[in-house]
Amino acid sequence: MKARLYILNGDIGVELTELAAIEKEDILISSDEILSYTIKYDPIDSKAECNVPVNISYIIKGKIISEVKDIEKKNSDFLFDNSQFDSSWSKIPQSYYEDAKKLVTSTYSGLNLSVDSLNDNVTKLNSRNLIKLKYWTEAFFKVPERTAILELVKNGYTELHVLENAYVHSWSEKGSTDEGNGEFNLVIKQKKRFDKKYIVSMS
């Protein structure tokens, strides 16, 4: 099974001229960088002033990568054609589909997608993603909410979970000074403003 996480800004960066360029960028966490995921559903307190039935959280355990292990290379996102989106994506709002396609194109554009260049490509992307995730974590009041799409590919089926009004609830990381690799833990929640949530499972 593969999991990918897309963090989409939409048009939020257009008017926020005080933001650095990297703070406006969308984020693609490839399957190379995700160790595990949890989608958590909690009941809403009856006194909460919101119009969603449950609290939804994405809990992502990811990798801090300094080197790609040989055993991991054969299934790397960087060795496949990631520009092909299956029919599942047509079931969510068109703007999300288009933004995700642009994000994939910009992420992999110009890369030499081969085993020889794999380590360099993955480590550079991972380092930049960590920086962008930290900016997002620190921007609760500075940057409007984003849209988080968790893509799960299981035995030929694609399942999409779309969380609108998403923000970083918590972030932590730990690493080894000996090996240089590490892990991060990211919890994404939804600000309670919309009641839209899309789940799609298509072959």
Side-chain angles (χ1 to χ4, degrees):
M1 187 186 73
K2 284 180 174 257
R4 301 183 189 93
L5 180 64
Y6 305 78
I7 307 298
L8 306 176
N9 288 338
D11 295 326
I12 70 168
V14 175
E15 298 179 356
L16 299 177
T17 55
E18 74 279 7
L19 296 182
I22 193 172
E23 295 180 89
K24 301 179 186 180
E25 291 182 12
D26 293 340
I27 307 170
L28 170 57
I29 308 297
S30 66
S31 65
D32 298 60
E33 302 167 85
I34 296 179
L35 284 167
S36 65
Y37 74 91
T38 300
I39 303 174
K40 187 177 180 181
Y41 300 87
D42 291 319
I44 291 287
D45 188 316
S46 61
K47 298 179 181 179
E49 295 181 358
C50 58
N51 61 343
V52 292
V54 291
N55 277 315
I56 303 168
S57 304
Y58 296 167
I59 304 169
I60 306 295
K61 178 181 282 187
K63 304 176 188 177
I64 299 172
I65 304 171
S66 64
E67 183 178 3
V68 182
K69 298 177 181 178
D70 289 339
I71 195 173
E72 300 171 332
K73 291 182 178 179
K74 64 179 180 179
N75 293 317
S76 173
D77 270 359
F78 287 75
L79 301 181
F80 296 93
D81 183 2
N82 295 287
S83 62
Q84 299 300 315
F85 286 63
D86 71 13
S87 57
S88 304
W89 287 85
S90 65
K91 305 298 181 181
I92 67 174
Q94 182 71 17
S95 61
Y96 297 160
Y97 167 72
E98 292 174 354
D99 286 346
K101 289 219 35 148
K102 289 178 184 176
L103 176 56
V104 168
T105 300
S106 63
T107 299
Y108 295 105
S109 177
L111 296 180
N112 176 18
L113 303 182
S114 68
V115 174
D116 293 337
S117 63
L118 186 62
N119 193 73
D120 189 47
N121 286 331
V122 173
T123 54
K124 283 183 178 178
L125 175 66
N126 181 246
S127 295
R128 189 165 183 83
N129 278 340
L130 293 174
I131 293 171
K132 290 195 285 188
L133 285 171
K134 290 172 187 176
Y135 272 122
W136 187 29
T137 301
E138 297 168 357
F140 185 87
F141 295 107
K142 187 176 179 182
V143 177
E145 301 75 31
R146 295 172 173 171
T147 299
I149 301 177
L150 184 61
E151 179 187 31
L152 308 176
V153 182
K154 311 173 183 177
N155 300 319
Y157 287 83
T158 297
E159 184 178 294
L160 299 177
H161 294 260
V162 180
L163 194 63
E164 296 177 318
N165 264 13
Y167 72 98
V168 175
H169 179 265
S170 67
W171 164 275
S172 64
E173 60 181 271
K174 63 179 180 179
S176 167
T177 55
D178 293 330
E179 299 179 2
N181 292 329
E183 296 179 0
F184 67 83
N185 289 281
L186 172 68
V187 178
I188 300 174
K189 291 191 174 186
Q190 183 181 38
K191 290 187 180 180
K192 306 303 182 291
R193 201 160 62 192
F194 297 129
D195 59 357
K196 297 178 182 177
K197 183 177 181 296
Y198 306 85
I199 300 180
V200 181
S201 181
M202 296 285 290
S203 59

